[in-house]
Amino acid sequence: MSDLKIVKFGGSVFKDENSFNSILKLLDDSKTVIIVSAPFGITDRLKENAISSEFLLMMYRRFKQLLGFDSSVLKQRVFEIECEKNFEKILSHGERCNSLALKLFLEKKGFDVEEILPENINFSLTEYGEFNLDQKISKFFEEEKTYIVPGFYGVFNGQIKTIGRGGSDYTATAIAYLLDSKEVILYKDVSSVFSCDPKIVKNSVPITKISYEVAELLSYFGAKVINYKAIKPAKLKDINVKIKSVDSESFTLISKEMDLNVFSISYLESLILIKGYIKEIPVNAKYMDVFHRKAWIVATEEQAKEIEQCFYNPVLIGNLSLVFVTGNINIEKKLLILNTLYSNKCDFFVLKDDEKFIILLVKRKNVKDAVNIIHNILFAKEAVV
């Protein structure tokens, strides 16, 4: 199935009544699997778990706006969770409604379309919340048509299970792996991966290509442009991953190709440092350094409550952010970065200094200043190749 096209449309793509038309211009009559996220904001509302007739009517009107016409079939899909108690099914409902809405739209435009729900093909997850890459699903995608699959969830022990924010990226690369596709295109609200979050660093620059390893680390340490779990299936089969927007020809290619000294910065806020002597190694932490049973562990606020039970008399330091900088930074630039952060009164310390990256812990109130200082030292104002 190497000629099969895999495309994923993120939630930000579905913003108004012209959204489906913007997707239409990107499609042709070749065999394609489309993975869809829920429209922006829908999942957050579903997460509140305040399902009511009024909310579902509002939700239907939102999908009707995307679709452009009334549909009793779509309305039935939207209202099917009115009495639902399964939180995972509720949380993933935006994707299912969006996949049906897009199917109805494309059918009206003359496409031969089939919607495939993960629960109907037992698109399974492991106990660790990862897609089972040994499963067989190709028989469900044999015909020459357009397939639409809701992203963000799979099936575990016969029940719907969501896979976290940005999970539709992971759905797309897992399907690409299982169907032997050579490329996945992830359509986002940005035209490429940038050197840092453009909302924080105004002079951030686009990166045209980046390796699997760097993309995985950046996303793990806070870059929201791709789900870090999505890298594994692509890396295992050398599947090219393109990140782009629906209205731009620019893109970032994630592949096995080596980076040409690409610098990138990501960061995580609201972290806690837990240090002391440990009883056992915790299984869920953002970063861990252990030496002779003495450990420094960086965790989210949610993780910290469980992790501190693994310590004898732990010391907790809160209101921290982690800054991850990747690239072959020479010693002169490293010293310049550290001295400049110090002279600008950014409270920080070096958590890890490696040949290919550096990790800093910074007081949360200083993180945006720190990221801009580092970026200004490392980058010129042209695209990185």
Side-chain angles (χ1 to χ4, degrees):
M1 290 196 181
S2 59
D3 58 340
L4 180 67
K5 292 172 60 177
I6 309 285
V7 296
K8 173 257 177 179
F9 294 102
S12 57
V13 172
F14 307 105
K15 54 185 181 295
D16 55 41
E17 64 273 8
N18 296 316
S19 300
F20 282 2
N21 280 311
S22 68
I23 290 174
L24 188 63
K25 67 184 181 182
L26 302 170
L27 303 176
D28 52 37
D29 59 0
S30 60
K31 190 173 180 180
T32 305
V33 178
I34 302 171
I35 290 87
V36 295
S37 299
F40 181 78
I42 290 286
T43 303
D44 287 336
R45 293 292 302 274
L46 290 167
K47 196 173 184 178
E48 296 169 6
N49 203 14
I51 305 302
S52 65
S53 297
E54 293 78 12
F55 169 76
L56 292 174
L57 183 58
M58 179 280 295
M59 189 171 168
Y60 171 68
R61 287 171 177 163
R62 176 90 178 267
F63 284 107
K64 176 187 171 183
Q65 181 189 35
L66 291 170
L67 184 57
F69 55 87
D70 265 313
S71 166
S72 59
V73 176
L74 179 59
K75 191 170 187 178
Q76 182 180 356
R77 172 71 62 85
V78 171
F79 274 80
E80 73 180 16
I81 63 160
E82 191 166 13
C83 298
E84 182 62 54
K85 301 300 182 185
N86 185 326
F87 179 64
E88 294 289 294
K89 187 170 182 179
I90 292 171
L91 196 60
S92 58
H93 194 53
E95 279 75 14
R96 279 189 300 279
C97 292
N98 206 20
S99 66
L100 178 57
L102 184 58
K103 174 184 183 289
L104 296 171
F105 176 84
L106 292 178
E107 282 179 336
K108 194 167 185 178
K109 297 296 182 180
F111 283 76
D112 183 9
V113 190
E114 181 178 348
E115 180 192 32
I116 295 185
L117 301 179
E119 59 268 40
N120 290 346
I121 63 170
N122 194 30
F123 189 31
S124 63
L125 298 165
T126 70
E127 61 182 310
Y128 303 108
E130 298 179 348
F131 280 113
N132 173 12
L133 297 180
D134 293 324
Q135 62 189 301
K136 309 298 182 183
I137 64 169
S138 59
K139 64 182 179 181
F140 300 105
F141 298 87
E142 290 179 344
E143 297 183 41
E144 294 293 324
K145 60 171 66 174
T146 298
Y147 295 91
I148 301 179
V149 182
F152 181 55
Y153 73 97
V155 177
F156 179 67
N157 286 341
Q159 298 293 316
I160 286 173
K161 178 69 176 176
T162 57
I163 50 178
R165 186 170 294 276
S168 295
D169 295 342
Y170 189 19
T171 303
T173 59
I175 288 177
Y177 177 97
L178 293 168
L179 300 183
D180 292 322
S181 181
K182 298 299 182 185
E183 181 179 271
V184 177
I185 302 177
L186 306 177
Y187 287 99
K188 308 266 184 174
D189 60 348
V190 293
S191 58
S192 59
V193 176
F194 282 77
S195 53
C196 194
D197 185 347
K199 296 175 183 175
I200 303 302
V201 177
K202 300 305 180 186
N203 62 336
S204 59
V205 296
I207 298 172
T208 59
K209 57 187 175 183
I210 197 168
S211 70
Y212 296 124
E213 290 78 10
V214 171
E216 188 172 28
L217 284 168
L218 285 170
S219 58
Y220 181 78
F221 286 118
K224 298 179 178 64
V225 74
I226 187 171
N227 184 305
Y228 75 90
K229 289 184 178 180
I231 301 298
K232 179 181 176 181
K235 183 179 178 181
L236 287 172
K237 280 194 176 178
D238 292 339
I239 300 168
N240 288 338
V241 179
K242 289 182 179 178
I243 293 178
K244 62 185 303 185
S245 67
V246 296
D247 54 4
S248 173
E249 292 300 314
S250 301
F251 62 87
T252 295
L253 173 63
I254 303 173
S255 71
K256 68 177 180 180
E257 187 172 343
M258 294 297 291
D259 302 301
L260 301 178
N261 200 29
V262 174
F263 297 116
S264 311
I265 306 170
S266 61
Y267 65 95
L268 288 166
E269 296 186 279
S270 303
L271 298 177
I272 294 174
L273 173 64
I274 310 169
K275 58 182 183 177
Y277 289 93
I278 57 170
K279 307 173 188 175
E280 58 183 294
I281 302 292
V283 296
N284 59 336
K286 292 307 294 184
Y287 178 87
M288 188 184 315
D289 200 345
V290 181
F291 182 71
H292 282 214
R293 304 196 68 81
K294 190 171 184 179
W296 284 39
I297 295 177
V298 179
T300 64
E301 293 173 349
E302 293 77 17
Q303 293 169 338
K305 293 178 182 178
E306 180 180 341
I307 290 174
E308 66 176 302
Q309 304 304 314
C310 299
F311 281 79
Y312 301 99
N313 302 316
V315 175
L316 277 68
I317 303 172
N319 294 315
L320 297 175
S321 294
L322 182 149
V323 178
F324 175 78
V325 187
T326 182
N328 295 321
I329 311 169
N330 61 41
I331 188 63
E332 291 82 5
K333 280 192 175 179
K334 282 184 181 178
L335 289 173
L336 180 58
I337 287 170
L338 300 181
N339 282 324
T340 308
L341 290 173
Y342 181 79
S343 63
N344 280 270
K345 295 182 171 55
C346 291
D347 289 335
F348 75 95
F349 59 88
V350 179
L351 192 61
K352 183 75 173 179
D353 184 1
D354 186 85
E355 182 181 349
K356 294 184 179 179
F357 62 84
I358 184 169
I359 303 176
L360 306 175
L361 278 183
V362 182
K363 282 290 186 182
R364 186 179 177 186
K365 66 180 181 180
N366 298 135
V367 66
K368 292 179 182 178
D369 290 338
V371 165
N372 274 277
I373 287 169
I374 296 168
H375 192 277
N376 288 339
I377 291 172
L378 292 179
F379 289 91
K381 293 185 180 180
E382 61 261 8
V384 179
V385 178

